[in-house]
Amino acid sequence: MKKLFILITALMAIAAPKAAQALDVEGVYAGALGGINFLDYKHHHKSKNFQVGWTAGGFAGYRFCNGFRAEGEAVYRHNNGKKHFGGHVRTWSLMANGLYDFDVDCWCLVPYLGAGLGYDWTKAHVCSSSAERNGFAWQLIGGFLYPIDDCMEMGLEYRYHQNQNKNRLQNNTIDLRVQWYF
C-alpha cells in the first residue's frame, strides 16, 4: 500500500505543470484500472475473510459537459482464502456505471461519485468444494481524477461491490485508473 501511494504521488508530481481543466473535456473515453481487493464472504450469518486479492479491468464511456459520465466496464477480481479456510474466489463483472464529476475550481483533483448495476460470474473453490454463482450485482464508487494533459486523466478510486447471490460476496476495492479521451 505504501509503494502504491508513493507511485501515485510521484506520477502526480511529474504531471503537475501540465494540469489541465479536466471538466473541459467532453466526449468518448476509454481506459484501464487495477488495484487491490478485500473480499468478505457471508454465509449463514457467518463471515469468512479472504487474503487481499487483486483486480484488473477496462472501461469505456462518455463524459457530458455537465459533469455526468456514463460508462461500461469489465472487471476481474481474484482472492485466495486464508490458510485455515483455503481455496479461492474469482469473479468477472460487467457493469453499467453512472458517475458525476464535481467542479471544484481551486483543486487540481476532480472528485467524483457514482453507482453501477450489472452482472457477476463467480467461481469459488472453498473448503474442498467448488461452486459457480452468477447474478445481479451493484456497486458504489468514489474517487479523484487528476488531469495529466488535455487527453489523459489518472485517478484513485474506492469501490464497494456486492452481488445478490445466495452467498453474498462483498468486495472493497482500491483502484488506480487511467483514462484517455478521443
Side-chain angles (χ1 to χ4, degrees):
M1 186 68 160
K2 188 176 182 181
K3 290 179 184 179
L4 178 64
F5 177 75
I6 291 170
L7 174 67
I8 293 168
T9 304
L11 289 172
M12 288 183 177
I14 291 167
K18 293 186 171 190
Q21 300 81 15
L23 293 178
D24 289 346
V25 178
E26 178 182 1
V28 176
Y29 64 90
L33 59 88
I36 57 175
N37 188 55
F38 303 92
L39 175 65
D40 189 26
Y41 171 76
K42 296 193 183 268
H43 183 67
H44 300 297
H45 306 290
K46 293 180 184 177
S47 181
K48 297 179 180 179
N49 294 322
F50 284 76
Q51 293 178 5
V52 175
W54 58 275
T55 183
F59 56 88
Y62 190 87
R63 176 185 271 156
F64 300 93
C65 62
N66 58 6
F68 284 99
R69 286 187 284 141
E71 71 180 29
E73 70 177 26
V75 174
Y76 176 78
R77 292 174 184 81
H78 182 93
N79 288 82
N80 289 324
K82 290 192 175 176
K83 290 181 183 177
H84 68 277
F85 187 48
H88 63 269
V89 173
R90 295 180 286 182
T91 302
W92 277 101
S93 299
L94 287 178
M95 304 294 289
N97 301 323
L99 302 135
Y100 181 76
D101 297 332
F102 294 93
D103 186 6
V104 183
D105 289 333
C106 61
W107 290 10
C108 62
L109 296 175
V110 178
Y112 63 90
L113 292 173
L117 299 174
Y119 197 82
D120 278 359
W121 291 267
T122 302
K123 209 174 215 184
H125 179 74
V126 180
C127 297
S128 301
S129 64
S130 295
E132 287 189 37
R133 303 274 189 211
N134 306 325
F136 173 77
W138 60 273
Q139 65 185 359
L140 299 174
I141 306 166
F144 294 93
L145 289 172
Y146 183 80
I148 303 299
D149 60 28
D150 291 338
C151 299
M152 182 179 171
E153 291 176 325
M154 184 173 73
L156 186 65
E157 69 184 10
Y158 166 78
R159 292 168 181 251
Y160 175 81
H161 181 96
Q162 183 174 348
N163 68 26
Q164 295 298 315
N165 291 324
K166 181 179 176 184
N167 301 322
R168 292 185 175 207
L169 297 175
Q170 298 174 349
N171 294 278
N172 292 283
T173 306
I174 299 171
D175 289 320
L176 179 62
R177 139 187 212 121
V178 179
Q179 58 193 43
W180 294 271
Y181 289 87
F182 302 101

Coordinates of all heavy atoms in Angstrom, one line a residue, residues 100-175:
Y100 N -20.7 11.2 -11.5 CA -20.7 12.7 -11.5 C -19.4 13.3 -11.0 O -19.0 13.0 -9.9 CB -21.9 13.2 -10.7 CG -22.0 14.7 -10.8 CD1 -22.6 15.3 -11.9 CD2 -21.5 15.5 -9.7 CE1 -22.6 16.7 -12.0 CE2 -21.6 16.9 -9.8 CZ -22.2 17.5 -10.9 OH -22.3 18.8 -11.0
D101 N -18.8 14.1 -11.9 CA -17.6 14.8 -11.5 C -17.9 16.2 -10.9 O -18.7 16.9 -11.6 CB -16.7 15.0 -12.8 CG -16.3 13.8 -13.4 OD1 -16.1 12.8 -12.7 OD2 -16.0 13.8 -14.7
F102 N -17.4 16.4 -9.7 CA -17.7 17.7 -9.1 C -16.7 18.8 -9.6 O -15.5 18.5 -9.6 CB -17.6 17.6 -7.6 CG -18.6 16.7 -7.0 CD1 -18.4 15.3 -6.8 CD2 -19.9 17.2 -6.7 CE1 -19.4 14.5 -6.3 CE2 -20.9 16.4 -6.2 CZ -20.6 15.0 -6.0
D103 N -17.2 19.9 -9.9 CA -16.4 21.0 -10.4 C -15.9 21.9 -9.3 O -16.6 22.7 -8.7 CB -17.2 21.9 -11.4 CG -16.4 23.0 -12.1 OD1 -15.2 23.0 -11.9 OD2 -17.0 23.8 -12.8
V104 N -14.7 21.6 -8.8 CA -14.1 22.3 -7.7 C -12.9 23.1 -8.3 O -11.8 22.6 -8.5 CB -13.6 21.4 -6.6 CG1 -13.1 22.1 -5.4 CG2 -14.8 20.5 -6.2
D105 N -13.1 24.4 -8.6 CA -12.1 25.2 -9.3 C -10.8 25.3 -8.6 O -9.8 25.4 -9.3 CB -12.7 26.6 -9.6 CG -13.8 26.6 -10.6 OD1 -13.8 25.7 -11.5 OD2 -14.6 27.5 -10.6
C106 N -10.8 25.3 -7.3 CA -9.5 25.6 -6.6 C -8.6 24.3 -6.4 O -7.5 24.4 -5.9 CB -9.8 26.3 -5.3 SG -10.8 25.3 -4.2
W107 N -9.1 23.2 -6.8 CA -8.3 21.9 -6.7 C -7.8 21.5 -8.0 O -8.4 21.7 -9.0 CB -9.2 20.8 -6.1 CG -9.7 21.0 -4.7 CD1 -9.6 22.0 -3.9 CD2 -10.4 20.0 -4.0 NE1 -10.2 21.8 -2.7 CE2 -10.7 20.5 -2.7 CE3 -10.8 18.7 -4.3 CZ2 -11.3 19.8 -1.7 CZ3 -11.5 18.0 -3.3 CH2 -11.7 18.5 -2.0
C108 N -6.6 20.8 -7.9 CA -6.2 20.2 -9.2 C -6.7 18.8 -9.3 O -6.6 18.1 -10.3 CB -4.6 20.2 -9.2 SG -3.9 19.2 -7.9
L109 N -7.4 18.3 -8.3 CA -8.0 17.0 -8.3 C -9.5 17.2 -8.6 O -10.1 18.1 -8.1 CB -7.9 16.2 -7.0 CG -6.4 15.9 -6.6 CD1 -6.4 15.3 -5.2 CD2 -5.8 14.9 -7.6
V110 N -10.1 16.3 -9.3 CA -11.6 16.3 -9.6 C -12.2 15.2 -8.8 O -12.1 14.0 -9.2 CB -11.8 16.2 -11.1 CG1 -13.3 16.2 -11.4 CG2 -11.1 17.3 -11.9
P111 N -13.0 15.5 -7.8 CA -13.7 14.4 -7.0 C -14.9 13.9 -7.8 O -15.5 14.7 -8.5 CB -14.1 15.0 -5.7 CG -14.1 16.5 -6.0 CD -13.1 16.8 -7.1
Y112 N -15.2 12.6 -7.7 CA -16.4 12.1 -8.3 C -17.1 11.0 -7.5 O -16.4 10.4 -6.6 CB -16.1 11.6 -9.7 CG -15.2 10.4 -9.8 CD1 -15.6 9.1 -9.7 CD2 -13.8 10.6 -9.9 CE1 -14.8 8.0 -9.8 CE2 -12.9 9.6 -9.9 CZ -13.4 8.3 -9.9 OH -12.5 7.2 -10.0
L113 N -18.4 10.8 -7.7 CA -19.1 9.8 -7.1 C -20.0 9.1 -8.1 O -20.3 9.7 -9.1 CB -20.1 10.3 -6.0 CG -19.5 10.9 -4.7 CD1 -20.5 11.6 -3.9 CD2 -18.7 9.9 -4.0
G114 N -20.3 7.8 -7.9 CA -21.1 7.1 -8.9 C -21.7 5.8 -8.3 O -21.4 5.4 -7.2
A115 N -22.4 5.2 -9.2 CA -23.0 3.9 -8.8 C -23.1 3.1 -10.1 O -23.2 3.6 -11.2 CB -24.4 4.1 -8.2
G116 N -23.2 1.7 -9.9 CA -23.3 0.9 -11.1 C -24.2 -0.3 -10.9 O -24.4 -0.8 -9.7
L117 N -24.8 -0.8 -11.9 CA -25.6 -2.1 -11.9 C -25.0 -3.0 -13.0 O -24.6 -2.6 -14.0 CB -27.0 -1.7 -12.3 CG -27.8 -0.8 -11.3 CD1 -29.1 -0.5 -11.9 CD2 -27.9 -1.4 -9.9
G118 N -25.1 -4.3 -12.7 CA -24.6 -5.2 -13.7 C -24.8 -6.7 -13.3 O -25.7 -7.0 -12.6
Y119 N -23.8 -7.5 -13.8 CA -24.0 -9.0 -13.6 C -22.6 -9.5 -13.3 O -21.6 -9.1 -13.8 CB -24.5 -9.6 -14.9 CG -25.0 -11.0 -14.8 CD1 -26.3 -11.2 -14.3 CD2 -24.2 -12.1 -15.1 CE1 -26.8 -12.5 -14.2 CE2 -24.7 -13.4 -15.0 CZ -26.0 -13.6 -14.5 OH -26.5 -14.8 -14.4
D120 N -22.6 -10.5 -12.3 CA -21.3 -11.1 -11.9 C -21.4 -12.6 -12.3 O -22.4 -13.3 -12.2 CB -21.2 -11.1 -10.4 CG -20.6 -9.8 -9.9 OD1 -20.3 -8.9 -10.7 OD2 -20.4 -9.7 -8.6
W121 N -20.2 -13.1 -12.7 CA -20.0 -14.6 -12.9 C -18.9 -14.9 -11.9 O -17.8 -14.5 -12.0 CB -19.5 -14.9 -14.3 CG -20.5 -14.7 -15.3 CD1 -21.4 -15.6 -15.8 CD2 -20.8 -13.5 -16.0 NE1 -22.2 -15.0 -16.8 CE2 -21.8 -13.7 -17.0 CE3 -20.3 -12.2 -16.0 CZ2 -22.3 -12.8 -17.8 CZ3 -20.8 -11.2 -16.8 CH2 -21.8 -11.5 -17.7
T122 N -19.3 -15.7 -10.9 CA -18.4 -16.0 -9.8 C -18.1 -17.5 -9.7 O -19.1 -18.3 -9.7 CB -19.0 -15.6 -8.4 OG1 -19.2 -14.2 -8.5 CG2 -18.0 -15.9 -7.3
K123 N -16.9 -17.9 -9.6 CA -16.4 -19.3 -9.4 C -15.7 -19.4 -8.1 O -14.7 -18.6 -7.9 CB -15.6 -19.7 -10.6 CG -15.6 -21.1 -10.9 CD -14.8 -21.4 -12.2 CE -15.5 -22.5 -12.9 NZ -14.8 -22.9 -14.1
A124 N -16.1 -20.2 -7.2 CA -15.5 -20.4 -5.9 C -15.0 -21.8 -5.7 O -15.7 -22.7 -6.0 CB -16.4 -19.9 -4.8
H125 N -13.8 -21.9 -5.1 CA -13.3 -23.2 -4.7 C -13.0 -23.0 -3.2 O -11.9 -22.4 -2.9 CB -12.1 -23.7 -5.5 CG -11.6 -25.0 -5.0 ND1 -12.2 -26.2 -5.2 CD2 -10.5 -25.3 -4.3 CE1 -11.5 -27.1 -4.7 NE2 -10.4 -26.6 -4.1
V126 N -13.8 -23.5 -2.3 CA -13.7 -23.2 -0.9 C -13.8 -24.5 -0.1 O -14.8 -25.2 -0.3 CB -14.7 -22.2 -0.4 CG1 -14.5 -21.9 1.1 CG2 -14.6 -20.9 -1.2
C127 N -12.9 -24.8 0.8 CA -13.0 -26.0 1.7 C -13.3 -27.2 0.9 O -14.3 -28.0 1.2 CB -14.1 -25.8 2.8 SG -13.7 -24.4 3.9
S128 N -12.5 -27.5 -0.1 CA -12.6 -28.8 -0.9 C -13.9 -28.9 -1.7 O -14.3 -30.0 -2.1 CB -12.4 -30.0 0.0 OG -11.2 -29.9 0.6
S129 N -14.6 -27.8 -1.9 CA -15.8 -27.9 -2.8 C -15.8 -26.7 -3.7 O -15.2 -25.7 -3.5 CB -17.1 -27.8 -1.9 OG -17.2 -26.6 -1.2
S130 N -16.4 -26.9 -4.9 CA -16.5 -25.8 -5.9 C -17.9 -25.4 -6.2 O -18.8 -26.3 -6.1 CB -15.8 -26.3 -7.2 OG -14.5 -26.6 -7.0
A131 N -18.1 -24.2 -6.5 CA -19.4 -23.7 -6.9 C -19.3 -22.5 -7.8 O -18.3 -21.8 -7.9 CB -20.2 -23.2 -5.6
E132 N -20.4 -22.4 -8.6 CA -20.5 -21.2 -9.5 C -21.8 -20.5 -9.2 O -22.8 -21.1 -9.0 CB -20.6 -21.7 -11.0 CG -19.2 -22.2 -11.5 CD -19.3 -22.4 -13.0 OE1 -19.9 -21.6 -13.7 OE2 -18.6 -23.3 -13.5
R133 N -21.7 -19.2 -9.0 CA -22.8 -18.4 -8.7 C -22.8 -17.2 -9.6 O -21.8 -16.5 -9.7 CB -22.7 -17.9 -7.3 CG -22.6 -18.9 -6.2 CD -24.0 -19.4 -5.8 NE -23.9 -20.3 -4.7 CZ -24.7 -21.3 -4.5 NH1 -25.7 -21.5 -5.3 NH2 -24.6 -22.0 -3.4
N134 N -23.9 -17.0 -10.4 CA -24.0 -15.9 -11.3 C -25.2 -15.1 -10.9 O -26.2 -15.7 -10.5 CB -24.1 -16.4 -12.7 CG -23.0 -17.3 -13.1 OD1 -21.9 -17.2 -12.7 ND2 -23.3 -18.4 -13.9
G135 N -25.2 -13.8 -11.1 CA -26.3 -13.0 -10.8 C -26.1 -11.5 -10.8 O -25.0 -11.0 -11.0
F136 N -27.2 -10.8 -10.4 CA -27.2 -9.4 -10.4 C -26.1 -8.8 -9.4 O -25.9 -9.4 -8.4 CB -28.6 -8.9 -9.9 CG -28.7 -7.4 -9.6 CD1 -28.8 -6.5 -10.7 CD2 -28.7 -7.0 -8.3 CE1 -28.9 -5.2 -10.4 CE2 -28.8 -5.6 -8.1 CZ -28.9 -4.7 -9.1
A137 N -25.5 -7.7 -9.7 CA -24.5 -7.1 -8.9 C -24.7 -5.5 -8.9 O -25.3 -5.0 -9.9 CB -23.1 -7.4 -9.3
W138 N -24.3 -4.9 -7.9 CA -24.3 -3.4 -7.8 C -23.1 -2.9 -7.1 O -22.4 -3.7 -6.5 CB -25.6 -2.9 -7.1 CG -25.7 -3.4 -5.7 CD1 -26.3 -4.5 -5.3 CD2 -25.3 -2.7 -4.5 NE1 -26.2 -4.6 -3.9 CE2 -25.6 -3.5 -3.4 CE3 -24.6 -1.5 -4.3 CZ2 -25.3 -3.1 -2.1 CZ3 -24.3 -1.1 -3.0 CH2 -24.7 -1.9 -1.9
Q139 N -22.8 -1.6 -7.4 CA -21.6 -1.0 -6.7 C -21.7 0.4 -6.5 O -22.5 1.1 -7.2 CB -20.3 -1.3 -7.5 CG -20.3 -0.7 -8.9 CD -19.0 -1.1 -9.7 OE1 -18.2 -1.9 -9.2 NE2 -18.9 -0.7 -10.9
L140 N -21.0 0.9 -5.5 CA -20.9 2.4 -5.2 C -19.4 2.8 -5.5 O -18.5 2.0 -5.1 CB -21.3 2.7 -3.8 CG -22.7 2.3 -3.4 CD1 -23.0 2.6 -1.9 CD2 -23.7 3.2 -4.3
I141 N -19.2 3.9 -6.1 CA -17.9 4.3 -6.5 C -17.6 5.8 -6.0 O -18.5 6.6 -6.1 CB -17.7 4.3 -8.0 CG1 -18.1 2.9 -8.6 CG2 -16.3 4.7 -8.5 CD1 -18.4 2.9 -10.1
G142 N -16.4 6.0 -5.5 CA -16.0 7.4 -5.2 C -14.5 7.5 -5.5 O -13.7 6.5 -5.3
G143 N -14.0 8.7 -5.9 CA -12.6 8.8 -6.2 C -12.2 10.2 -6.6 O -13.0 11.1 -6.5
F144 N -11.0 10.3 -7.1 CA -10.4 11.6 -7.5 C -9.7 11.3 -8.9 O -9.0 10.3 -9.0 CB -9.4 12.1 -6.5 CG -10.0 12.5 -5.2 CD1 -10.0 11.6 -4.2 CD2 -10.5 13.8 -5.0 CE1 -10.6 12.0 -3.0 CE2 -11.0 14.2 -3.8 CZ -11.1 13.3 -2.8
L145 N -9.9 12.2 -9.8 CA -9.2 12.2 -11.1 C -8.2 13.4 -11.1 O -8.4 14.4 -10.5 CB -10.1 12.4 -12.2 CG -11.1 11.2 -12.5 CD1 -12.1 11.6 -13.6 CD2 -10.3 10.0 -13.0
Y146 N -7.0 13.1 -11.7 CA -6.0 14.1 -11.9 C -5.7 14.3 -13.3 O -5.3 13.3 -14.0 CB -4.8 13.7 -11.1 CG -3.7 14.7 -11.1 CD1 -3.7 15.9 -10.3 CD2 -2.6 14.6 -12.0 CE1 -2.7 16.8 -10.3 CE2 -1.6 15.5 -12.1 CZ -1.7 16.6 -11.2 OH -0.7 17.6 -11.3
P147 N -5.9 15.5 -13.9 CA -5.6 15.6 -15.3 C -4.1 15.7 -15.6 O -3.4 16.5 -15.1 CB -6.3 17.0 -15.6 CG -6.3 17.7 -14.3 CD -6.4 16.7 -13.3
I148 N -3.7 14.8 -16.5 CA -2.3 14.7 -16.9 C -2.0 15.7 -18.0 O -1.1 16.5 -18.0 CB -1.9 13.3 -17.3 CG1 -2.1 12.3 -16.2 CG2 -0.4 13.3 -17.8 CD1 -1.4 12.5 -14.9
D149 N -2.9 15.7 -19.0 CA -2.9 16.7 -20.1 C -4.3 16.8 -20.6 O -5.3 16.3 -20.0 CB -1.9 16.3 -21.2 CG -2.1 15.0 -21.8 OD1 -3.3 14.5 -21.9 OD2 -1.2 14.3 -22.3
D150 N -4.5 17.3 -21.8 CA -5.9 17.5 -22.4 C -6.6 16.2 -22.7 O -7.8 16.2 -22.9 CB -5.8 18.4 -23.6 CG -5.4 19.9 -23.3 OD1 -5.6 20.3 -22.1 OD2 -4.9 20.6 -24.2
C151 N -5.8 15.2 -22.9 CA -6.4 13.9 -23.4 C -6.3 12.8 -22.4 O -6.8 11.7 -22.7 CB -5.8 13.5 -24.7 SG -6.0 14.7 -26.0
M152 N -5.7 13.0 -21.2 CA -5.5 11.8 -20.3 C -5.7 12.3 -18.8 O -5.3 13.4 -18.4 CB -4.0 11.4 -20.5 CG -3.6 10.2 -19.6 SD -1.9 9.8 -20.0 CE -1.6 8.6 -18.7
E153 N -6.3 11.4 -18.1 CA -6.5 11.6 -16.6 C -6.1 10.3 -15.9 O -6.2 9.2 -16.5 CB -8.0 11.8 -16.3 CG -8.5 13.2 -16.8 CD -9.9 13.4 -16.6 OE1 -10.7 12.4 -16.7 OE2 -10.3 14.5 -16.3
M154 N -5.6 10.5 -14.7 CA -5.3 9.4 -13.8 C -6.1 9.6 -12.5 O -6.3 10.7 -12.1 CB -3.8 9.4 -13.6 CG -3.3 8.2 -12.8 SD -1.5 8.2 -12.6 CE -1.3 9.5 -11.5
G155 N -6.5 8.5 -11.9 CA -7.2 8.6 -10.7 C -7.0 7.5 -9.7 O -6.5 6.4 -10.0
L156 N -7.5 7.7 -8.5 CA -7.5 6.7 -7.4 C -9.0 6.6 -7.0 O -9.6 7.7 -6.8 CB -6.6 7.2 -6.3 CG -6.4 6.2 -5.2 CD1 -5.7 4.9 -5.7 CD2 -5.6 6.8 -4.0
E157 N -9.5 5.4 -6.9 CA -10.9 5.3 -6.5 C -11.1 4.1 -5.6 O -10.4 3.2 -5.5 CB -11.8 5.1 -7.7 CG -11.6 3.9 -8.5 CD -12.5 3.8 -9.8 OE1 -13.0 4.8 -10.2 OE2 -12.6 2.7 -10.3
Y158 N -12.3 4.2 -4.9 CA -12.7 3.2 -4.0 C -14.1 2.6 -4.5 O -14.9 3.4 -5.0 CB -13.0 3.7 -2.5 CG -13.7 2.8 -1.7 CD1 -13.1 1.6 -1.1 CD2 -15.1 2.9 -1.5 CE1 -13.9 0.8 -0.3 CE2 -15.8 2.1 -0.7 CZ -15.2 1.0 -0.2 OH -16.0 0.1 0.6
R159 N -14.2 1.3 -4.5 CA -15.5 0.7 -4.9 C -16.0 -0.3 -3.8 O -15.2 -1.1 -3.3 CB -15.3 -0.1 -6.2 CG -15.0 0.7 -7.4 CD -14.5 -0.2 -8.5 NE -14.2 0.6 -9.6 CZ -14.9 0.7 -10.8 NH1 -15.9 -0.1 -10.9 NH2 -14.5 1.5 -11.7
Y160 N -17.3 -0.2 -3.6 CA -17.9 -1.2 -2.8 C -18.8 -2.0 -3.8 O -19.7 -1.4 -4.4 CB -18.8 -0.6 -1.7 CG -19.6 -1.6 -0.9 CD1 -19.0 -2.4 0.1 CD2 -20.9 -1.9 -1.3 CE1 -19.7 -3.4 0.8 CE2 -21.6 -2.9 -0.6 CZ -21.0 -3.6 0.4 OH -21.7 -4.6 1.1
H161 N -18.5 -3.2 -3.9 CA -19.2 -4.1 -5.0 C -19.8 -5.3 -4.3 O -19.1 -6.0 -3.5 CB -18.1 -4.5 -6.0 CG -18.7 -5.3 -7.1 ND1 -19.1 -4.8 -8.3 CD2 -19.0 -6.7 -7.2 CE1 -19.5 -5.7 -9.1 NE2 -19.5 -6.9 -8.4
Q162 N -21.1 -5.5 -4.6 CA -21.8 -6.6 -3.9 C -22.6 -7.3 -5.0 O -23.3 -6.7 -5.8 CB -22.6 -6.2 -2.8 CG -23.3 -7.3 -2.0 CD -24.0 -6.9 -0.8 OE1 -23.8 -5.8 -0.3 NE2 -24.8 -7.7 -0.3
N163 N -22.7 -8.7 -4.9 CA -23.6 -9.4 -5.7 C -24.8 -9.9 -4.9 O -24.7 -9.9 -3.7 CB -22.9 -10.6 -6.5 CG -22.5 -11.7 -5.6 OD1 -23.0 -11.9 -4.5 ND2 -21.5 -12.4 -6.0
Q164 N -25.8 -10.3 -5.5 CA -27.1 -10.6 -4.8 C -27.3 -12.1 -4.9 O -28.4 -12.6 -4.9 CB -28.3 -9.9 -5.4 CG -28.2 -8.4 -5.2 CD -28.2 -8.0 -3.7 OE1 -29.0 -8.6 -3.0 NE2 -27.3 -7.1 -3.3
N165 N -26.2 -12.9 -4.9 CA -26.4 -14.4 -4.9 C -26.8 -14.8 -3.5 O -26.7 -14.1 -2.5 CB -25.1 -15.0 -5.3 CG -24.7 -14.8 -6.8 OD1 -25.6 -14.8 -7.6 ND2 -23.5 -14.6 -7.1
K166 N -27.1 -16.1 -3.4 CA -27.5 -16.7 -2.1 C -26.4 -16.5 -1.1 O -26.6 -16.1 0.1 CB -27.8 -18.2 -2.3 CG -28.2 -18.9 -1.1 CD -28.5 -20.3 -1.4 CE -28.8 -21.1 -0.1 NZ -29.0 -22.5 -0.4
N167 N -25.1 -16.7 -1.5 CA -24.0 -16.4 -0.6 C -23.4 -15.1 -1.0 O -22.8 -15.0 -2.1 CB -22.9 -17.5 -0.8 CG -23.5 -18.9 -0.4 OD1 -24.3 -19.0 0.5 ND2 -23.1 -19.9 -1.2
R168 N -23.6 -14.1 -0.2 CA -23.2 -12.7 -0.6 C -21.7 -12.5 -0.5 O -21.1 -12.8 0.5 CB -23.9 -11.7 0.3 CG -25.4 -11.7 0.0 CD -26.1 -10.6 0.8 NE -27.5 -10.6 0.4 CZ -28.2 -9.6 0.4 NH1 -27.7 -8.4 0.9 NH2 -29.4 -9.6 0.0
L169 N -21.2 -12.0 -1.6 CA -19.8 -11.6 -1.7 C -19.7 -10.1 -1.7 O -20.4 -9.4 -2.5 CB -19.1 -12.1 -3.0 CG -19.1 -13.6 -3.1 CD1 -18.5 -14.0 -4.5 CD2 -18.2 -14.3 -2.0
Q170 N -19.0 -9.5 -0.7 CA -18.8 -8.1 -0.6 C -17.3 -7.8 -0.9 O -16.4 -8.2 -0.3 CB -19.2 -7.6 0.8 CG -20.6 -7.9 1.1 CD -21.0 -7.5 2.5 OE1 -20.1 -7.2 3.3 NE2 -22.2 -7.5 2.8
N171 N -17.1 -6.9 -1.9 CA -15.8 -6.5 -2.3 C -15.6 -5.1 -2.0 O -16.4 -4.2 -2.3 CB -15.6 -6.7 -3.9 CG -15.7 -8.1 -4.3 OD1 -14.7 -8.8 -4.2 ND2 -16.8 -8.6 -4.7
N172 N -14.4 -4.8 -1.4 CA -14.0 -3.4 -1.1 C -12.7 -3.3 -1.9 O -11.7 -4.0 -1.6 CB -13.7 -3.2 0.3 CG -15.0 -3.2 1.1 OD1 -15.8 -2.2 1.1 ND2 -15.3 -4.3 1.8
T173 N -12.7 -2.4 -2.9 CA -11.6 -2.3 -3.9 C -11.0 -0.9 -3.9 O -11.8 0.1 -3.9 CB -12.1 -2.7 -5.3 OG1 -12.7 -4.0 -5.3 CG2 -11.0 -2.8 -6.3
I174 N -9.7 -0.9 -4.0 CA -9.0 0.4 -4.2 C -8.3 0.3 -5.5 O -7.4 -0.6 -5.7 CB -8.0 0.7 -3.1 CG1 -8.8 0.8 -1.8 CG2 -7.2 2.0 -3.4 CD1 -7.9 0.9 -0.5
D175 N -8.6 1.1 -6.5 CA -8.1 1.0 -7.9 C -7.3 2.2 -8.3 O -7.6 3.4 -7.9 CB -9.3 0.9 -8.9 CG -10.0 -0.4 -8.8 OD1 -9.3 -1.4 -8.7 OD2 -11.2 -0.4 -9.0

